[in-house]
């Protein structure tokens, strides 16, 4: 069995060879393969800026609906799934770390990420009716943004058949969101705000607030002095 895949390759139909080589180069961790990935997507994306790094195992669905600015870094095993013409836009100097998942979900959904935004490992962002993130935001690890909530009031019907609530979610510029935060459809985050690790955001957060907890609540404004008793 040591030569199983070698024998399988020799028996590969000629019309599947391009798919095989494509899979190899899309997953190979070398400078040469990285340059091939950049050249490959340059002819398929809606737009591709200068000095873009696309890591190993990145999956881009409907690349014709994806725009990528200059100096963007897309980490290994990220997924960008654009189901609408509005698609996904990454501004200049965006960093997506390992395993980030972006999905517009619907034919009217979109995700727009501003300039110099850092998205940490394992974050999962959806854009059912739109997700807009301002410049200079920082997202730690394993954050979920889902602008959709299922309706479940009728116990005699499957929840999957009852539809749900959805709206555009906006996160202002220069926000910092801690690890394991969950942001729901009913919550926008004002510019300059900080959301503490593990928070579940269900209501809008005013600009320059510090919010923590489940559900998240504002405990102070940035710049305010805290006192201890």
């Amino acid at each position: 069995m040591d030569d199983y895949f070698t024998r399988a390759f020799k028996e590969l139909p000629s019309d599947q060879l391009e798919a095989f080589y494509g899979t190899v180069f899309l997953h190979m961790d070398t400078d040469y393969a990285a340059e091939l990935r950049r050249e490959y997507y340059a002819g398929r994306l809606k737009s591709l800026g200068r000095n873009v790094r696309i890591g190993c195992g990145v999956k881009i669905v409907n690349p014709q609906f994806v725009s990528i600015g200059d100096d963007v870094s897309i980490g290994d095993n990220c997924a960008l799934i654009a189901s609408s013409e509005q698609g996904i836009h990454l501004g200049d100097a965006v960093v997506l770390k390992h395993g980030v998942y972006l999905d517009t979900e619907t034919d009217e959904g979109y995700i727009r990420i501003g300039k110099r935004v850092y998205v940490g490992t394992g974050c999962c962002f959806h854009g059912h009716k739109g997700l807009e993130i301002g410049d200079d935001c920082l997202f730690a690890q394993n954050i979920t943004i889902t602008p959709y909530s299922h309706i479940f009031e009728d116990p005699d019907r499957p929840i999957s058949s009852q539809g749900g609530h959805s709206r555009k979610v906006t996160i202002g510029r220069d926000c910092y969101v801690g690890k394991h935060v969950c942001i729901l459809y009913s919550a926008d985050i004002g510019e300059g705000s900080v959301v503490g690790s593990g928070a579940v955001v269900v209501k809008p957060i005013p600009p320059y607030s510090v919010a923590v907890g489940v559900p998240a609540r504002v405990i102070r404004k940035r710049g305010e002095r805290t006192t201890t008793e």
Side-chain angles (χ1 to χ4, degrees), residues 198-219:
V200 177
V201 188
V202 299
K203 295 181 179 179
I205 302 296
Y208 299 98
S209 298
V210 178
V212 299
V214 181
R217 61 184 181 87
V218 175
I219 58 171

Side-chain angles (χ1 to χ4, degrees), residues 150-192:
H150 286 282
I151 296 171
F152 50 81
E153 293 305 320
D154 187 348
D156 296 322
R157 292 172 55 199
I159 293 173
S160 61
S161 70
Q162 296 185 45
H165 304 289
S166 188
R167 58 183 285 279
K168 181 178 77 174
V169 170
T170 301
I171 297 176
R173 59 172 295 278
D174 192 30
C175 290
Y176 171 44
V177 181
K179 61 186 177 181
H180 298 288
V181 168
C182 182
I183 300 171
L184 303 186
Y185 86 99
S186 50
D188 295 321
I189 297 178
E191 70 172 278

Side-chain angles (χ1 to χ4, degrees), residues 60-168:
I60 302 179
V61 176
N62 294 321
Q64 71 273 20
F65 301 146
V66 176
S67 302
I68 297 176
D70 297 336
D71 303 311
V72 169
S73 176
I74 301 177
D76 296 347
N77 297 320
C78 288
L80 284 68
I81 302 174
S83 301
S84 72
E85 291 189 12
Q86 295 186 80
I88 295 172
H89 172 79
L90 305 180
D92 295 344
V94 165
V95 175
L96 306 182
K97 299 297 284 185
H98 182 99
V100 169
Y101 181 88
L102 306 179
D103 191 344
T104 65
E105 290 287 352
T106 70
D107 59 7
E108 60 180 340
Y110 65 90
I111 296 173
R112 295 179 189 153
I113 298 179
K115 298 177 181 179
R116 299 174 300 278
V117 172
Y118 175 96
V119 183
T121 299
C123 287
C124 183
F125 294 173
H126 301 269
H128 293 75
K129 292 212 173 162
L131 171 62
E132 299 181 4
I133 297 173
D135 298 343
D136 299 303
C137 287
L138 299 173
F139 295 88
Q141 300 81 32
N142 300 307
I143 294 163
T144 300
I145 304 176
T146 303
Y148 188 91
S149 180
H150 286 282
I151 296 171
F152 50 81
E153 293 305 320
D154 187 348
D156 296 322
R157 292 172 55 199
I159 293 173
S160 61
S161 70
Q162 296 185 45
H165 304 289
S166 188
R167 58 183 285 279
K168 181 178 77 174

Side-chain angles (χ1 to χ4, degrees), residues 5 8-9 12-13 15-26:
F5 289 109
F9 173 74
L12 190 68
D15 63 351
Q16 296 182 30
L17 284 174
E18 181 66 14
F20 172 84
Y21 293 131
T23 300
V24 171
F25 285 114
L26 288 173

